[in-house]
Amino acid sequence: MKNKNQLIEEVLNCIQQATDRVDRSSNDVTLVAVSKTHPIEDIVVAYQAGIRHFGENRADELAKKAIQLSHLKDLQWHFIGHLQTRQSKIVAEYAHCFHAVDRVKIAEHLSKQLQKLDHILPVFIEVNVSGEKSKGGFSCDDWENDQQQRDSFLKAVTTIAALPNLNIHGLMAMAPFKASKELIRNIFKSLHQLSEWLNRELPELKAKELSMGMSGDFEIAVEEGATHVRVGSAIFGKRGSAISPKP
Ligand SMILES: *Cc1c(COP(=O)(O)O)cnc(C)c1O
């Protein structure tokens, strides 16, 4: 069995090689180690190996871990999952970045909580570019052809951008779980192009970051322009199914 340090090193090497292949700098890619369901001890080991960004997708679990590790001042929590409005206070309080703004309402709730705390939160707008029904996010599966889809997305982003204390950094998407490498690449390309289009439409937005890529596809994502990859099992091992969270 490989230990965690070796797994982290391998993932970092793969990111380096992927950036080399497309003439990007690995400094432009943030590795978010997705620690959901894994114990505090595993996070500490990864922290000692140099990882500073950790991803969680359940608010109660985020709060518990953030409190227990509050002595690690430079540790950054990324909330990467669907968020229920009643839990927006926890994310506003403990998260350093939120990757899954999937509706205007959650952005409004977060903004209110953030104003009370006087926190600013960088966020990613989650988009569904694959058209899979099980995926969250704003529908953008046919944005290149569908004017109505583009218009309603633009309207939503404009509304969110006007909310205080939220800072839109970019777009986030998930590739389908079972798909060919080609299809996955096309989905990441589509997200990248959507981002370029969005930033042309709203030049003052400056939301050019891309959160895409997980354990199975982060190298493709880096080749296609990811600035944040969310890697769980490749670093921490398989998650136990008994505690695997379902939203
Ligand atoms: C769990 C999760 C990941 C990490 O998945 P792995 O396949 O374990 O790397 C990434 N993004 C989101 C949104 C997740 O929920």
Side-chain angles (χ1 to χ4, degrees):
M1 269 272 287
K2 288 177 186 159
N3 67 32
K4 290 221 164 51
N5 285 350
Q6 287 169 308
L7 294 172
I8 290 167
E9 192 137 316
E10 267 175 29
V11 169
L12 289 171
N13 275 338
C14 289
I15 292 173
Q16 179 73 57
Q17 285 163 14
T19 51
D20 286 349
R21 285 195 289 277
V22 293
D23 271 325
R24 297 183 62 205
S25 162
S26 59
N27 294 332
D28 297 338
V29 180
T30 300
L31 172 59
V32 180
V34 177
S35 48
K36 63 186 185 195
T37 79
H38 293 285
I40 293 281
E41 295 74 37
D42 290 6
I43 298 176
V44 172
V45 170
Y47 181 88
Q48 284 163 348
I51 301 292
R52 290 294 176 271
H53 299 265
F54 292 89
E56 293 288 336
N57 73 342
R58 284 183 51 171
D60 49 354
E61 193 177 341
L62 166 69
K64 203 171 138 217
K65 288 174 169 174
I67 290 165
Q68 283 184 280
L69 294 176
S70 58
H71 56 288
L72 304 177
K73 298 287 179 222
D74 57 351
L75 190 159
Q76 306 251 316
W77 294 105
H78 294 248
F79 198 82
I80 60 172
H82 175 77
L83 179 63
Q84 289 166 2
T85 49
R86 64 185 161 81
Q87 295 185 311
S88 53
K89 182 165 182 251
I90 297 178
V91 168
E93 185 161 3
Y94 295 107
H96 300 89
C97 183
F98 177 53
H99 289 240
V101 176
D102 55 4
R103 58 211 193 281
V104 171
K105 194 171 160 211
I106 194 64
E108 290 169 345
H109 278 254
L110 272 172
S111 174
K112 278 207 190 93
Q113 298 292 346
L114 289 160
Q115 288 173 73
K116 284 188 207 159
L117 293 161
D118 200 21
H119 284 185
I120 305 275
L121 187 66
V123 299
F124 288 86
I125 308 283
E126 182 175 359
V127 297
N128 183 338
V129 277
S130 69
E132 272 189 310
K133 293 247 180 339
S134 61
K135 291 270 186 294
F138 293 93
S139 294
C140 290
D141 55 304
D142 194 27
W143 67 272
E144 283 171 278
N145 304 309
D146 186 341
Q147 170 90 40
Q148 212 176 344
Q149 206 171 61
R150 284 199 300 274
D151 287 349
S152 60
F153 183 55
L154 213 49
K155 185 161 168 253
V157 174
T158 306
T159 306
I160 296 165
L163 295 169
N165 298 48
L166 282 183
N167 239 331
I168 304 177
H169 278 217
L171 302 182
M172 178 275 219
M174 307 230 276
F177 290 115
K178 288 209 169 71
S180 67
K181 291 220 172 341
E182 267 167 278
L183 179 58
I184 290 172
R185 190 179 293 279
N186 282 338
I187 283 168
F188 291 155
K189 268 195 208 310
S190 178
L191 185 71
H192 195 160
Q193 285 161 3
L194 176 65
S195 162
E196 287 181 341
W197 168 80
L198 179 68
N199 281 286
R200 277 197 304 275
E201 292 290 314
L202 305 173
E204 69 288 0
L205 189 67
K206 298 193 172 57
K208 302 204 167 165
E209 294 176 23
L210 293 171
S211 170
M212 59 188 193
M214 314 190 353
S215 290
D217 52 30
F218 70 89
E219 293 163 274
I220 303 175
V222 169
E223 288 173 3
E224 297 303 334
T227 60
H228 292 68
V229 291
R230 309 176 311 269
V231 180
S233 44
I235 291 174
F236 294 109
K238 270 210 172 96
R239 289 177 289 274
S241 54
I243 44 169
S244 171
K246 277 266 167 277

